[in-house]
Amino acid sequence: MKFLRWTYVLYYFYNMLNDIKKKISNYILIIISLKHSSDIGILILRIFPGVVMFLNHGLNKISAGIAKWERLGGALTDLIGFESLKIFFGFMASYAESIGALFIMFGLLTRFSSFLLFFTMIVASLKHYFEGEFSELAFIYGCIYFALIISGPGKYSVDNILKKKIGN
């Protein structure tokens, strides 16, 4: 009797797994066959890193004020000199990680904002490298924003809407 029960349970799970496999295969086929799947990929590449960058990094830095900006700007001025520009460079990094991330999320001035964030991530990566560390997060963000510089904002963006209205 126990054998029959286990057989039934195994048969039930086997059928359930087959149904799941079929559903996953159908979803994959739908995603692959989408007409603008690369634009959806770019949209995802803009939104998720943009939200995380803004909430985890940008918001705190832009609202922290001059003392934080001076400390942030020191990462670049320590590499290139120009000690008098610490606050400016710190503000620009804060701006890129906050307002620039918002612009990227909406697809507004995407390439320019991506360049600012890419440059900021290069500086952060170099700072960590010269301290004997490897900043995976800055490197990954840098790669994402470099990809957005190359690809542009995609179809689902404010840049694309403005481009159509201007008639370029």
Side-chain angles (χ1 to χ4, degrees), residues 42-115:
I42 293 170
L43 176 68
I44 292 168
L45 200 60
R46 281 192 355 250
I47 289 178
F48 289 109
V51 167
V52 174
M53 176 62 74
F54 177 75
L55 293 177
N56 289 350
H57 303 283
L59 190 58
N60 296 335
K61 290 177 184 173
I62 199 72
S63 61
I66 293 176
K68 177 80 169 186
W69 299 341
E70 186 172 9
R71 199 167 63 243
L72 285 172
L76 180 61
T77 58
D78 290 347
L79 295 173
I80 64 169
F82 302 112
E83 294 295 319
S84 61
L85 295 175
K86 278 185 180 181
I87 295 172
F88 171 75
F89 287 132
F91 172 77
M92 289 306 294
S94 300
Y95 176 85
E97 291 182 13
S98 58
I99 308 302
L102 286 175
F103 280 6
I104 289 171
M105 284 176 4
F106 292 109
L108 178 63
L109 301 173
T110 305
R111 283 194 163 114
F112 177 72
S113 299
S114 294
F115 174 76

